[in-house]
Amino acid sequence: MQVNVFVSEVIQDGQPSTMLVLPVGPDAKIPKHLQNIEWRYLATTEADDRIIGMERGEVEVAISTDGYLVTKPRLPHE
């Protein structure tokens, strides 16, 4: 499954950005409760891409259940 990955701005205290993963397609949309966050497009990739840091099945289940996934980006040393 291909997904679009978006990141929020970096939090000032050094915490990683929040990442939003949406399916590729015309039905994908940012949920209302997340629309107040400024999202920047990062990449279109596969659901098991290392930056997402989750197994493909976990990503696909979240997207099929909720229509999106919110997570933290995987840091290079992890």
Side-chain angles (χ1 to χ4, degrees):
M1 164 189 265
Q2 282 201 317
V3 294
N4 285 320
V5 180
F6 300 84
V7 292
S8 66
E9 292 186 32
V10 175
I11 299 171
Q12 294 299 324
D13 65 2
Q15 294 294 317
S17 299
T18 300
M19 189 164 43
L20 173 64
V21 182
L22 297 173
V24 172
D27 294 334
K29 60 183 172 185
I30 298 173
K32 286 187 179 191
H33 70 281
L34 298 173
Q35 290 179 358
N36 64 326
I37 299 170
E38 188 171 327
W39 297 102
R40 292 184 302 215
Y41 171 79
L42 178 65
T44 298
T45 189
E46 292 297 321
D48 61 353
D49 191 295
R50 183 175 174 173
I51 193 164
I52 298 171
M54 298 174 72
E55 296 292 325
R56 176 185 295 271
E58 293 176 291
V59 174
E60 290 177 351
V61 167
I63 289 175
S64 67
T65 302
D66 301 322
Y68 68 97
L69 170 69
V70 174
T71 188
K72 297 286 184 190
R74 184 179 169 104
L75 300 175
H77 64 277
E78 294 178 347

